Amino acid sequence: MNSFFGRLREFFRGRYGVDALSRFLVILSAVFWVLCLFVRFTPLRILYAVFSVLNSGLYIFVLVRALSKDISARELENERYLQLRSRVIPKWERIKASFSDREHAFRNCPRCGGLLRLQKISGRHTARCPNCNATFKVFIIGGKRNRRSKK
């Protein structure tokens, strides 16, 4: 039994293994598997075939990546994925925050790209970024009415 584990250890030596991209692909494959469960008994049998092929293909791709000995290529793939994720996650956080915080509007600074949380008062306003002190015009829809008294 000890020789089996020794041979297994030798087989996996120098292999790439699992990284963030592999974990994401496994989760995506699980989503396709769940979709297969829902569309299996519907008239849209072609969707079942498409989701099944995608599910199987992703699992095979993850396995091939994990067992690959071309570590530099796998690291480059993972780095590209992490760069893409770093651009998508802040946008997702902004969308999530806008749904949970109904009292504020969220805008990005046009100069530095920082996220500003502004009071949600309808109309045109001038905002100042606390990071770079840039001032810019914002237009907010669907907030409270401005309660300035008109004379």
Side-chain angles (χ1 to χ4, degrees):
M1 200 61 157
N2 198 8
S3 64
F4 171 74
F5 289 118
R7 285 184 290 189
L8 196 61
R9 194 176 308 117
E10 277 300 313
F11 176 75
F12 282 108
R13 184 171 288 148
R15 306 287 176 168
Y16 184 65
V18 179
D19 58 3
L21 176 58
S22 297
R23 285 187 216 103
F24 170 73
L25 292 174
V26 166
I27 291 170
L28 186 63
S29 182
V31 168
F32 283 131
W33 180 75
V34 169
L35 288 174
C36 283
L37 293 177
F38 286 111
V39 299
R40 185 173 186 176
F41 299 110
T42 63
L44 304 170
R45 305 273 303 172
I46 189 75
L47 283 178
Y48 174 72
V50 168
F51 290 148
S52 295
V53 167
L54 287 173
N55 180 23
S56 301
L58 283 174
Y59 276 131
I60 291 170
F61 183 64
V62 168
L63 187 62
V64 167
R65 285 189 83 247
L67 296 178
S68 173
K69 286 192 172 187
D70 191 3
I71 293 174
S72 61
R74 303 296 83 81
E75 286 176 346
L76 185 63
E77 291 170 356
N78 189 47
E79 185 64 33
R80 287 183 188 152
Y81 163 72
L82 292 175
Q83 287 173 354
L84 178 67
R85 189 176 84 173
S86 70
R87 285 186 283 168
V88 170
I89 293 291
K91 292 178 184 176
W92 173 252
E93 292 296 327
R94 178 179 169 193
I95 291 168
K96 196 166 72 171
S98 69
F99 280 110
S100 64
D101 188 358
R102 297 288 181 179
E103 299 295 318
H104 296 91
F106 296 88
R107 299 290 186 270
N108 286 332
C109 174
R111 185 189 289 174
C112 70
L115 184 63
L116 281 79
R117 188 178 78 156
L118 308 169
Q119 292 228 342
K120 200 168 192 179
I121 299 173
S122 293
R124 294 189 186 276
H125 306 284
T126 302
R128 185 182 63 80
C129 177
N131 296 334
C132 64
N133 289 327
T135 57
F136 54 95
K137 301 280 186 189
V138 295
F139 184 70
I140 298 175
I141 300 173
K144 297 182 239 176
R145 299 267 182 214
N146 198 346
R147 297 184 185 214
R148 289 187 208 164
S149 59
K150 294 182 180 179
K151 294 184 180 181

